[in-house]
Amino acid sequence: MARLGFGTLASTYLGIDIGMTRIKAVELGRQNGGLAVRAAGLCPTPPGTVRDGRIADPAAVGRAIAGMLGGMRVRTRRAVVSVNGQVAIVREIRMPKVSPEEVKAAARFELERFLPYPVAEVTYDTFTIGEVTEGGGPRLEVLVAAARTDVLTQHVAAVEAARLEPIVLDVEPFALLRAMGTPGAGGAQETAIYVDIGAVSTEIVIADGTIPRLIRNVAFGGNVLTRLISEHLRVDFDAAEAIKQQLGDERQATEGGVELQPLREVVIGSIGDLATEIRRSLDYYQTRYRVSGPSRVLVTGGTALLPGLPQYLGADLGIQVEVGDPFRGVAAAAGVPGTDLVRTAAPSLAVAVGLARRGVDES
């Protein structure tokens, strides 16, 4: 999304995913011709420091990141950092066939048509994904990603406060696809839907192989389920969140005297809104591209671990739904800090894995 420059490249890279409720980090490097995870960690985001995808208090977020990394024993200070889909705008545009040097300049004029603020206030990047024949001539298919420069500056400030060197700022949907949309996750030509459920919003990406065709950020997140638990049990939000965190462990029958299985069924029955948004995305994709539907849905994020979620969504959508594993095909280095997270919370780390992969892939 926004390149901040490459210097001498390190052997490993950190992916830092800064969410409203949790910060996630993964360190990846090369090993025997493949990828290996060197460390993984997560920590609570200081309350009130991240709002609607914007970092309101970079110093506090930086301290939280530094504290988390201290326990991970990371080898590098080079970081690739996410920008939330709530504040980044991604569009596919078509333009006359021009030289690679002219694509970005031409995209600026297209940006002015759909940005809600002056183009001078944003940082943007472009990526040419294909070429089509339209109106009797060739046209380029170009992805444009843009975010307000002041939002990016706050992200950089937070990472630098943690004494890290921000190499690239990337938008979450691209990181998600990089982690989950590789040949090892189903084939380079597979069309699939990727759904990453965050605390307050969900990223929906429909991709042909590794090419994103539709990207949406919808207002459904894990906090919706927390509020449902809070109202159902008549407990406060923090208590409900603690209970929700235990729903993913099917071995656990109770939490604080609460029977968890009936609660799981109540929560699963409440995600119809998410299924509706996925269907809308799929309908738009099929109408625009006039193609058959995707072969499967891959769900990531902490809520993906909710028992019954794949079955519920699969029955509603009529498509195979799986919980995504961003560490599929990734080896674990000996003595990896965060081994338990890699095993039990992998879907939560999908964006962080995709960010770290960008650093490694481009080194």
Side-chain angles (χ1 to χ4, degrees), residues 189-271:
Q189 301 307 312
E190 178 186 35
T191 297
I193 305 177
Y194 304 91
V195 180
D196 188 68
I197 308 172
V200 298
S201 66
T202 294
E203 299 285 358
I204 300 175
V205 182
I206 302 181
D208 295 332
T210 57
I211 302 299
R213 292 297 184 183
L214 181 145
I215 295 173
R216 290 184 64 210
N217 182 272
V218 299
F220 178 95
N223 284 358
V224 171
L225 307 181
T226 303
R227 284 192 290 271
L228 175 68
I229 295 170
S230 174
E231 294 167 2
H232 185 76
L233 298 179
R234 297 181 181 180
V235 298
D236 64 27
F237 187 90
D238 290 342
E241 180 67 22
I243 293 170
K244 187 185 75 173
Q245 296 299 325
Q246 305 306 318
L247 294 180
D249 186 355
E250 294 186 273
R251 298 167 301 178
Q252 188 162 344
T254 64
E255 169 65 22
V258 176
E259 293 288 337
L260 294 184
Q261 187 54 37
L263 189 58
R264 291 184 181 107
E265 295 170 2
V266 169
V267 170
I268 283 292
S270 73
I271 59 173

Side-chain angles (χ1 to χ4, degrees), residues 86-172:
Q86 293 173 283
V87 296
I89 295 175
V90 181
R91 294 285 189 276
E92 180 186 322
I93 62 175
R94 291 180 178 177
M95 64 174 64
K97 190 173 182 180
V98 295
S99 70
E101 295 75 21
E102 294 173 301
V103 167
K104 189 167 184 178
R108 180 183 178 89
F109 296 102
E110 295 290 338
L111 273 173
E112 293 176 339
R113 296 170 51 190
F114 57 77
L115 280 177
Y117 31 75
V119 69
E121 297 179 4
V122 308
T123 297
Y124 72 97
D125 206 352
T126 59
F127 177 60
T128 301
I129 59 175
E131 183 178 319
V132 296
T133 300
E134 189 176 77
R139 294 179 69 83
L140 296 178
E141 295 178 301
V142 179
L143 280 180
V144 183
R148 290 181 65 97
T149 302
D150 58 349
V151 172
L152 302 181
T153 299
Q154 295 294 78
H155 277 69
V156 170
V159 175
E160 290 180 340
R163 297 184 179 181
L164 296 176
E165 180 184 357
I167 301 298
V168 177
L169 299 182
D170 203 357
V171 290
E172 286 186 7

